Structure formats: structure tokens, C-alpha cells
Amino acid sequence: MLELAILGFLFDTPLHGYELRKRIAALTGHVKPVAESTLYPAIKRLEKAGLLARTTEPGSVAAPRHVLTLTEDGRRELRRRLAEPDPRDISDENRWFTVLAFLRHLEDADAQSAVLRRRLAFLEEPASFFYDGDRPLRAEELDDPFRRGLLTIARATSRAELTWLRETIAALDG
């Protein structure tokens, strides 16, 4: 997810590490904070793979700034990752939001629609956070008001996303 976010933000514009970290933090929020000890090794891996280029510019005060730019290989890699997301990128909400944030960079409407269809299929499967044996429990079946609240919120969120997915797929296919 972190590498996808790096590639996605750099697709839009060259950035220095600090600005890139701020943008990733804004996307992932408090759920998955981005530590420098995680971000900079990921940048180095992508740079070593030829997906990023680094240039040094004079700093506004004293220290020079390293500006990161996506290479053509980086652009191709972002599009490949968007077209072929890992199953966890489809099922995990935070990873899904990262895919969704950059899916516009996948320029083929059919390819975009295919990714959205995978998410739609995932959401249409019966699921719950709580089960009676193998049977998913519904909010109405729970006495615990907190668990009932969790399922009620999740159902509302899923319904909104299902509606959006169906509308967007229809528009892309239209």
C-alpha cells in the first residue's frame, strides 16, 4: 500500500520526501501513520528498482532538498499495480482506498471497471464481524449494543459503497 501511494502521488507531481509523507498521512490518516523509518526505505527500494528518480535542489534555509520524480518505468508499474491489485487491496478497506485514490491513472475504462467489479463481488459476499458457527450474524441478532452499532455502521457504509460502485461501473461501461 505504501509503495502504491508513493507511486500514485508522484504520478501527479514531483515531491520532496516531507511533502510526500504529509500527503500519504492525509490519505491513510490515523489508521496507518507513516513513519520516516518506513517511508524512506520504501523510497530507496523504488529508486533502486528504477521507478523513481531523485534530484537535489537547494533548500530554502540551509539543507538541500531531495525531490522525487516518477520515471516512465514507475508510471508503468503504477498502472500495472492498479490494473492487477492484490486480493488484499480489494478486501482491506484502507488498501482499497489507496487503490481508489489513484485508479484514475489507469486510463482504460474497461480496466477501471474490472477493478471496481472485483470490489463489488467482494462486498456482495455475505459477511460479518461476528458469526454463529459459519453463519454471519446480522445487527438485529445481537444484544450487545456496541457490536450491533458496529454492524449497523458497517452495513450503511457498505450500502453506500455498493450504490456508488454500481453507478460508476454502469457509467464506465456506458
Side-chain angles (χ1 to χ4, degrees), residues 8-78:
F9 280 119
L10 293 178
F11 191 102
D12 294 329
T13 188
L15 297 167
H16 57 88
Y18 176 74
E19 184 62 31
L20 180 60
R21 183 173 174 226
K22 282 185 3 185
R23 291 184 188 199
I24 293 170
L27 177 63
T28 59
H30 66 280
V31 176
K32 194 148 177 123
V34 181
E36 288 183 24
S37 61
T38 307
L39 177 63
Y40 291 104
I43 289 171
K44 287 186 187 298
R45 281 192 307 275
L46 293 170
E47 188 177 15
K48 185 175 180 182
L51 305 177
L52 305 180
R54 180 189 312 245
T55 57
T56 303
E57 297 178 352
S60 57
V61 179
R65 294 172 28 155
H66 301 285
V67 178
L68 304 167
T69 306
L70 204 58
T71 64
E72 281 307 311
D73 285 346
R75 289 178 178 281
R76 279 190 291 279
E77 178 63 13
L78 173 66

Side-chain angles (χ1 to χ4, degrees), residues 6 16 19 39 52 57 74 91 101 116 120 124 126 131 134 153:
I6 292 168
H16 57 88
E19 184 62 31
L39 177 63
L52 305 180
E57 297 178 352
S91 62
L116 296 182
L120 179 64
E124 288 177 332
Y131 289 82
D134 288 340
I153 293 165

